[in-house]
Amino acid sequence: MTSAAPPTQPADPQAAAGGRLDVPQGAALTIGAVLGTGVISLPALAVHAAGPASLLAWAGLLLLSVPLATTFAALGARYPDGGGVSTYARRAFGGRAATVVGWCFYFAIPIGAPTAAGFAGAYVADSLGGGRQTQLLATGGIIALVAAMNWFGLRVSGRVQLVIAFVLGALLLAATVVSLPHAQLDNLTPFAPQGWLAIGSAAALLVWAFAGWEAVTSLSAEYREPARDIGRATGIAIAVISVLYLGIAFATVAVLGDHPGRAPLSDLLVLGLGEWARPVTTIVAVLLSVGAINAYFGGGARLGAALGRDGSLPAWLAHGSSAGEVPRRSLAVVAFGALASLGVITVGDLSLNAPLLATTGAFALVYAVGTAAALRLLPRGTWVRRGAAVGFVATLGLLALTGTHLLGPALIGAGALAWTALHRGAEPTAPAPA
């Protein structure tokens, strides 16, 4: 294994200067990507799986997030490019690996979008007194809204994301603070009613809530000063997410006990503020969905354009791949793909949660390849490279927990390899590490 090559300089300095993300906007996009819709219901599901010991699953995954987040931040700062993890795989392992991981990430976004939006759709349906049809319409509306936001570029979607992140942080912090006077320490015992091994089951459920660190790597070239700003934005995101996740998880256990309802956020707000606060949960759910999908659509659209540029997808998608441009063709593919996935769910009368574990499996694979690339590209002897080693080992564990749900990503990967074989010689040669 060789040491990393120095970061390449953009061919077009003006394009590199076209980035529009500052540190607060970058932190907001990262928070939105990670602080996803899982926080609405997963705290309760984790309690059902492991009791109060589920808090250890939350804490463990947060600790795992630190090396993962810093690894992707270091790669993004060193190699700012719209290809994100695909670019790192190309530099470390060559074109085939880049195409496989790029396809897995790019196509997982439209497959998983209805699930992310569906969490909020369910709250909207309950709030309006509607059923499945209302939920499906709300889900489609959220997807269309996020696509429209990104159509006008990061100047619009980044500012909207900053507002969303601030409102979300305030609401989730309020839910924790106003409910804590109702906490009872007796609710923390017995601590592990299902046994200590149940912590692993809770962690498998909670993986969905921690996906997202890889999503914003495709936005790395959009920062005004990537080498400086990406690390700062990531540090802010880690701190905010840790406080909010641990606060909600602890309040769910200590306040609601061992049988929390399906909507613990709503129950916590009602306990602290009264029944009038229940509709606020719908606002939280919608904002969580919009924030998460916005980050994924923004990063995914740039990833698709970079894959088109590098020969891993049709060159038609490469339009808008330079920093500061809007990759509308790639965005359209992601948006229409998400609506098509929603159409399949609707026609097949499937659960909106059906794609959840397959999508999580694809993201776990992206984590594994990204951290493996970091071991090849980041300088030896640095703490961030040691963190990448920890992240790599941990993501192998996540892949094992995903099990048979890796079949979907495997099929996507097979398609990527078939594309590479058919277009051999069309893709650029990957720069080899020095």
Side-chain angles (χ1 to χ4, degrees):
M1 189 175 296
T2 55
S3 60
T8 55
Q9 294 300 319
D12 183 357
Q14 289 184 340
R20 292 292 182 266
L21 285 179
D22 55 21
V23 171
Q25 290 173 343
L29 282 164
T30 307
I31 291 168
V34 179
L35 192 69
T37 50
V39 75
I40 300 172
S41 57
L42 285 180
L45 295 177
V47 171
H48 290 311
S54 62
L55 293 174
L56 297 180
W58 283 100
L61 287 171
L62 278 169
L63 288 176
L64 171 60
S65 289
V66 174
L68 286 175
T70 54
T71 296
F72 287 118
L75 288 170
R78 191 171 179 82
Y79 306 103
D81 183 73
V85 178
S86 176
T87 294
Y88 316 145
R90 187 178 302 279
R91 295 185 63 88
F93 308 120
R96 287 187 182 87
T99 302
V100 169
V101 73
W103 277 43
C104 284
F105 193 3
Y106 186 61
F107 292 112
I109 293 172
I111 291 172
T115 298
F119 282 109
Y123 274 84
V124 172
D126 289 343
S127 179
L128 298 178
R132 177 175 169 84
Q133 184 176 4
T134 302
Q135 181 186 13
L136 292 171
L137 288 172
T139 300
I142 290 171
I143 292 172
L145 172 63
V146 174
M149 287 166 50
N150 280 276
W151 191 263
F152 296 101
L154 281 176
R155 180 169 294 182
V156 172
S157 62
R159 290 174 180 173
V160 172
Q161 188 81 359
L162 190 58
V163 174
I164 289 174
F166 178 80
V167 174
L168 271 179
L171 289 173
L172 292 175
L173 188 61
T176 302
V177 172
V178 300
S179 65
L180 281 180
H182 302 274
Q184 300 180 30
L185 293 181
D186 290 345
N187 287 333
L188 298 177
T189 55
F191 189 70
Q194 279 81 38
W196 295 103
L197 292 179
I199 297 173
S201 300
L205 286 170
L206 295 176
V207 169
W208 174 269
F210 289 87
W213 298 112
E214 81 296 341
V216 291
T217 57
S218 295
L219 299 174
S220 56
E222 303 298 326
Y223 280 83
R224 292 176 181 172
E225 295 186 46
R228 182 196 67 180
D229 293 346
I230 292 176
R232 295 181 179 181
T234 301
I236 293 171
I238 291 173
V240 171
I241 289 166
S242 297
V243 170
L244 295 179
Y245 266 173
L246 288 178
I248 290 295
F250 179 79
T252 299
V253 172
V255 175
L256 301 180
D258 58 355
H259 289 91
R262 295 178 59 187
L265 273 179
S266 178
D267 296 336
L268 292 174
L269 283 170
V270 168
L271 271 175
L273 300 176
E275 191 65 34
W276 66 268
R278 192 174 295 277
V280 175
T281 311
T282 301
I283 299 173
V284 174
V286 171
L287 290 177
L288 282 167
S289 289
V290 171
I293 300 173
N294 182 47
Y296 274 97
F297 272 31
R302 281 157 181 80
L303 169 61
L307 291 173
R309 176 201 66 196
D310 295 338
S312 295
L313 278 175
W316 176 83
L317 285 173
H319 182 77
S321 60
S322 297
E325 295 181 347
V326 182
R328 292 192 174 96
R329 292 177 183 176
S330 180
L331 174 63
V333 171
V334 172
F336 282 117
L339 293 174
S341 297
L342 180 60
V344 170
I345 290 172
T346 302
V347 173
D349 197 26
L350 304 174
S351 168
L352 280 164
N353 293 334
L356 190 152
L357 287 176
T359 306
T360 299
F363 292 154
L365 181 62
V366 171
Y367 275 139
V369 175
T371 50
L375 292 176
R376 183 76 185 274
L377 297 174
L378 296 178
R380 290 176 177 271
T382 59
W383 281 106
V384 71
R385 190 176 183 276
R386 296 186 183 104
V390 173
F392 176 67
V393 173
T395 53
L396 293 182
L398 293 181
L399 287 173
L401 289 173
T402 305
T404 57
H405 295 284
L406 285 173
L407 177 60
L411 292 175
I412 295 175
L417 291 175
W419 168 275
T420 302
L422 289 172
H423 296 79
R424 186 167 297 170
E427 69 173 293
T429 301

